[in-house]
Amino acid sequence: MSAMKPLIPLDDARQALFDQLSVIADVESVSLNDAAGRILAESVVATINVPPKANSAMDGYALAAKDAVAGAELAISQRIPAGAVTTPLVSSTAARIFTGAELPDGADCVVMQENTEACDMGVRILQTAKASENVRAAGLDITAGEVILEAGARLTAPALGICASTGITHVKVFKPLKVALLSTGDELVEPGVALQPGQIYNSNRPMLVELLRQADFDVVDMGQVADNHQATRDAFITASEQADAILTMGGVSVGEEDHVKNAIDELGSLNLWRIRIRPGKPFAAGRVGQTPIFGLPGNPMSALVTFSLLARPCLMHLQGAVYKPALRIPVETSVARSAQSRDEYMRVELHAGVAQRVVNQSSGVLSSALNADGLLHLPADVEIKAGERYDFIPFCSLLTS
Ligand code: AMP
Ligand code: MG
């Protein structure tokens, strides 16, 4: 693969990788209590209505709408706390009712407590109510037979709640992919060791371990690989035996100390290299044997951006997830600059809805990510003028969608 090939636009790169990769995760049935963050292997269909019966949205009085007229005085014929069993409403009476309690047959509205007062008869209605007022109809949330979650959806907190609301105890999900994580770079040492001349601490490793964990992958941390061809090859072979997919950091640039691409080429196929983005141009992807491998550039910001925009979506795709693009919100920018040949994903802070460039955009400056709210996508070949709108991608969406 020649370095002279044109850079690949991000969307084309992601689509090409999706086309080359299919789901490799096995399926298992797990208790809903253990299913948080997992990807559904089959759609979930509701077997009941939620709520199953009409119930009250308010503390107040349930009655027939024809009786719910301002000034009417009614006897109270039953009391229905949440969870109680009702009896049919005696004609022209009211039932004392509480939020979440089922409406008795014969009642079709609830007058909220605040719109009533006590009287000798029982209760006086102060404000006329219409049919179905303050009533949550049966099936308001979910109807029996409805597909509530599609295969490929992630079991987020609300998704778990919705499953539980229909009485589901177990779900079929994909087993978490094992992702081998390897750092390259002879300059790197782990915190806890005194730095020798020429060395820096490995900051990408804990960052990527956490990013993988947040996506609920099973991380196989394979530590560090020496910057030489044989060590890189050996590590890749071991990783391909131990994991479903491989994620590397560093060693994908053009220098002779960058061994990742050559090793991939020899052990399988280098399918994609160099993306038309900044930061993160040297991203590489391919296979070691049959095992998918994603090579992040070593600069910490490049690693974070390419993981978020490319490696993570591809790993989620292998995991069986339906791709859900991160949220893009058009916001005004305060940035002005001439056209550039690559799409830029600029770290920005939002102030009063305006995207402001975080001062240092060097791909080695990870502290800039701490202060930023997300990335502003400035397209290639376009002069950027202050006051124009561009897509803002919040970090929280980028790393969870
Ligand atoms: P590379 O992609 O190997 O050419 O590395 C590019 C830059 O990122 C170099 O300055 C490396 O020292 C730095 N770098 C590579 N890997 C890491 C890492 N795991 N943690 C911190 N910096 C790194
Ligand atoms: Mg290196």
Side-chain angles (χ1 to χ4, degrees):
M1 190 172 283
S2 156
M4 300 312 290
K5 276 195 176 173
L7 302 181
I8 309 161
L10 176 71
D11 288 344
D12 295 356
R14 192 180 43 241
Q15 193 53 54
L17 290 171
F18 281 3
D19 292 346
Q20 289 163 17
L21 302 167
S22 43
V23 182
I24 52 174
D26 296 330
V27 175
E28 62 182 344
S29 175
V30 298
S31 154
L32 199 60
N33 296 328
D34 299 321
R38 304 286 288 274
I39 306 295
L40 279 171
E42 63 177 28
S43 301
V44 175
V45 178
T47 55
I48 59 166
N49 284 329
V50 180
K53 291 270 176 59
N55 70 46
S56 179
M58 291 284 176
D59 291 339
Y61 294 87
L63 66 174
K66 68 171 176 51
D67 298 328
V69 180
E73 294 186 352
L74 299 152
I76 301 166
S77 54
Q78 63 177 307
R79 187 174 182 278
I80 318 170
V85 177
T86 65
T87 56
L89 187 69
V90 177
S91 173
S92 296
T93 69
R96 176 71 172 127
I97 198 163
F98 298 87
T99 305
E102 279 183 10
L103 256 67
D105 285 346
D108 61 358
C109 74
V110 172
V111 177
M112 62 196 266
Q113 190 168 314
E114 293 83 338
N115 292 341
T116 65
E117 64 184 14
C119 67
D120 291 344
M121 269 290 272
V123 63
R124 180 180 300 123
I125 308 300
L126 300 178
Q127 202 169 306
T128 303
K130 295 193 292 285
S132 69
E133 199 164 311
N134 298 320
V135 175
R136 303 168 180 153
L140 175 71
D141 193 351
I142 292 165
T143 42
E146 184 185 332
V147 175
I148 48 177
L149 290 161
E150 302 275 1
R154 191 151 188 225
L155 287 163
T156 58
L160 293 172
I162 284 170
C163 288
S165 77
T166 67
I168 284 167
T169 59
H170 287 75
V171 279
K172 282 223 168 83
V173 293
F174 290 109
K175 284 187 181 166
L177 279 193
K178 280 192 183 145
V179 181
L181 183 65
L182 291 101
S183 310
T184 73
D186 286 347
E187 72 280 27
L188 302 174
V189 289
E190 293 301 316
V193 176
L195 284 183
Q196 301 300 318
Q199 295 183 331
I200 59 167
Y201 288 119
N202 187 340
S203 53
N204 288 347
R205 195 189 65 81
M207 176 170 72
L208 266 303
V209 166
E210 178 55 15
L211 289 169
L212 290 168
R213 284 205 186 120
Q214 283 174 8
D216 288 287
F217 296 116
D218 198 350
V219 184
V220 184
D221 187 352
M222 301 202 50
Q224 209 165 307
V225 188
D227 276 333
N228 71 66
H229 184 64
Q230 193 57 45
T232 308
R233 274 185 64 113
D234 292 349
F236 284 5
I237 291 168
T238 309
S240 70
E241 288 162 359
Q242 294 190 4
D244 302 309
I246 307 170
L247 188 65
T248 67
M249 307 171 275
V252 283
S253 291
V254 292
E256 61 268 30
E257 293 295 340
D258 293 314
H259 300 284
V260 169
K261 297 185 313 293
N262 285 345
I264 297 175
D265 223 4
E266 278 182 29
L267 297 171
S269 53
L270 181 67
N271 298 332
L272 188 136
W273 181 46
R274 302 211 318 156
I275 316 297
R276 198 190 66 187
I277 57 172
R278 173 194 157 111
K281 179 173 76 173
F283 177 87
R287 285 182 193 267
V288 166
Q290 285 309 304
T291 310
I293 182 165
F294 306 96
L296 309 179
N299 272 309
M301 266 321 298
S302 309
L304 179 61
V305 167
T306 51
F307 176 81
S308 311
L309 295 176
L310 274 171
R312 188 184 186 285
C314 289
L315 289 168
M316 292 300 279
H317 179 84
L318 290 167
Q319 178 71 82
V322 169
Y323 178 56
K324 193 167 158 252
L327 207 57
R328 283 176 170 261
I329 308 162
V331 301
E332 196 181 313
T333 178
S334 64
V335 175
R337 65 152 172 76
S338 56
Q340 291 187 357
S341 59
R342 286 184 266 164
D343 285 52
E344 182 173 9
Y345 287 86
M346 179 183 275
R347 281 143 275 166
V348 293
E349 284 179 89
L350 284 193
H351 288 290
V354 177
Q356 293 183 0
R357 182 179 188 274
V358 171
V359 173
N360 197 327
Q361 294 286 322
S362 161
S363 51
V365 174
L366 189 55
S367 55
S368 58
L370 276 187
N371 307 327
D373 296 309
L375 302 173
L376 187 69
H377 176 198
L378 302 175
D381 304 327
V382 174
E383 185 190 343
I384 309 297
K385 299 196 189 88
E388 291 176 339
R389 287 180 172 266
Y390 290 98
D391 283 353
F392 167 72
I393 311 171
F395 277 133
C396 55
S397 172
L398 198 54
L399 299 172
T400 54
S401 58

